[in-house]
Amino acid sequence: TPRIWNSLLSEYAVLGFEYGYAMANPNALVIWEAQFGDFANGAQTIIDQFVSCAETKWGRMNGLVLLLPHGYEGQGPEHSSARIERNLQMSAELNWVLTNVTTASNFFHCLRRQLAWPFRKPLINYSPKANLRLHSTYSTLEEFTSGGFKEVIDSSDINPDNIKKVLLCSGKIYFELEEKRQKDNVQDTAIVRLEQLYPIPFKQLDQIYKKYKKAVWYWVQEEPLNMGAASFLRMHLSSSINFGIISRPASAATASGFSKVHKEEQEEIINAAFTV
């Protein structure tokens, strides 16, 4: 319908404008936010032709920030996925930064880093809307005023010698896994958050991998097996970290259109993470 086409064209035009504004004002923090992550589909041409590869093609840096809400919250296939797998597929030569931040202070430091760097890289952050009201994402004032961006966040309240399993995850699903861990008083499982998906923080992950040297590792994601970060991490981490994958089955659609089915699938992923 004309309304749909107008919406798609407006996303394309607005992102193109913001990209140009960020190019002309490299010291400004320019942010383009989609109402839902999948709305970036209408602006995909700009992402493909400029945001992801302008530095490689023309040597032109750009610090544009894209905020794409991403998280499986039962709102159906059109309002669940920001297509993480698509952006990871285009990730190479340190062309941009892809994050899935879980705390307010880490998000602050992530944006602050954008302007503190002596160079410019595009940033895409994936974050679910539900986390805006989730108390676990809140940070203290001290966490904002000290420290810096954490590419990886490790469990801090456990004894490494007791850990038999490590659940590596990113984004919203961490809070569901942690809620399950605390509810069932699970003492032998650590949950590690990958806050930066690209560039992959190999050094930090390697340190944590050595820390839990006796544990079995799993990558846990909400997305279907053929989506999300699973394939990308399998390709780049297989030589350093041996891990299994827990996810929804491979699917042509990003998510179920029925909230009841979504809830059952989500519970199955969380339960599998602690029983496999």
Side-chain angles (χ1 to χ4, degrees):
T1 63
R3 180 176 296 178
I4 294 176
W5 278 110
N6 287 337
S7 175
L8 293 176
L9 289 173
S10 66
E11 299 294 345
Y12 171 90
V14 173
L15 182 57
F17 173 85
E18 300 295 359
Y19 180 85
Y21 191 90
M23 183 76 72
N25 297 271
N27 292 323
L29 182 62
V30 183
I31 300 176
W32 181 80
E33 182 177 19
Q35 183 177 4
F36 288 95
D38 61 281
F39 280 30
N41 288 336
Q44 197 63 47
T45 303
I46 298 295
I47 297 173
D48 289 353
Q49 299 295 330
F50 295 92
V51 180
S52 67
C53 57
E55 186 175 355
T56 297
K57 292 195 292 187
W58 307 305
R60 302 295 292 176
M61 290 186 179
N62 194 295
L64 179 64
V65 178
L66 278 65
L67 302 183
L68 305 183
H70 172 98
Y72 284 57
E73 300 168 357
Q75 298 193 54
E78 309 307 333
H79 295 155
S80 296
S81 176
R83 293 294 189 175
I84 289 177
E85 67 281 352
R86 179 185 293 164
N87 295 327
L88 284 173
Q89 188 179 36
M90 294 187 288
S91 298
E93 302 178 296
L94 304 177
N95 58 328
W96 55 15
V97 179
L98 307 180
T99 59
N100 198 353
V101 179
T102 57
T103 69
S105 59
N106 214 31
F107 181 58
F108 167 77
H109 289 297
C110 183
L111 293 180
R112 183 176 179 273
R113 186 180 66 170
Q114 275 295 102
L115 294 182
W117 269 332
F119 53 85
R120 293 292 175 259
K121 295 285 181 180
L123 166 68
I124 301 180
N125 183 67
Y126 311 98
S127 58
K129 293 188 174 184
N131 282 12
L132 293 173
R133 300 178 181 86
L134 187 63
H135 188 270
S136 300
T137 66
Y138 299 172
S139 302
T140 64
L141 180 60
E142 184 181 358
E143 290 174 311
F144 283 96
T145 58
S146 62
F149 179 67
K150 300 176 181 177
E151 290 88 353
V152 182
I153 301 179
D154 188 13
S155 292
S156 58
D157 59 342
I158 54 177
N159 184 348
D161 295 331
N162 297 333
I163 298 303
K164 298 179 181 179
K165 182 192 300 181
V166 174
L167 302 178
L168 180 63
C169 64
S170 186
K172 166 181 163 290
I173 198 169
Y174 160 77
F175 298 103
E176 296 167 84
L177 292 170
E178 180 61 21
E179 182 181 10
K180 175 73 171 177
R181 187 178 76 90
Q182 293 187 14
K183 180 181 178 181
D184 294 350
N185 194 28
V186 178
Q187 301 293 327
D188 62 353
T189 300
I191 305 176
V192 178
R193 281 172 277 177
L194 189 58
E195 300 279 284
Q196 180 173 293
L197 295 169
Y198 184 82
I200 298 175
F202 288 106
K203 291 183 179 179
Q204 294 91 323
L205 285 174
D206 185 57
Q207 291 176 352
I208 297 175
Y209 190 64
K210 292 177 180 177
K211 175 182 176 182
Y212 302 121
K213 54 186 177 181
K214 300 179 182 178
V216 176
W217 283 59
Y218 290 93
W219 168 256
V220 186
Q221 66 176 34
E222 299 179 299
E223 301 85 1
L225 182 61
N226 57 319
M227 301 179 193
S231 298
F232 184 81
L233 294 177
R234 174 68 78 190
M235 179 172 61
H236 291 279
L237 287 181
S238 59
S239 61
S240 56
I241 299 178
N242 183 26
F243 64 94
I245 297 174
I246 299 173
S247 69
R248 281 174 166 79
S251 170
T254 54
S256 170
F258 298 96
S259 59
K260 181 179 179 180
V261 174
H262 158 79
K263 184 177 180 180
E264 292 174 351
E265 291 176 342
Q266 199 74 4
E267 290 177 354
E268 187 175 329
I269 291 174
I270 302 303
N271 290 330
F274 288 93
T275 58
V276 69

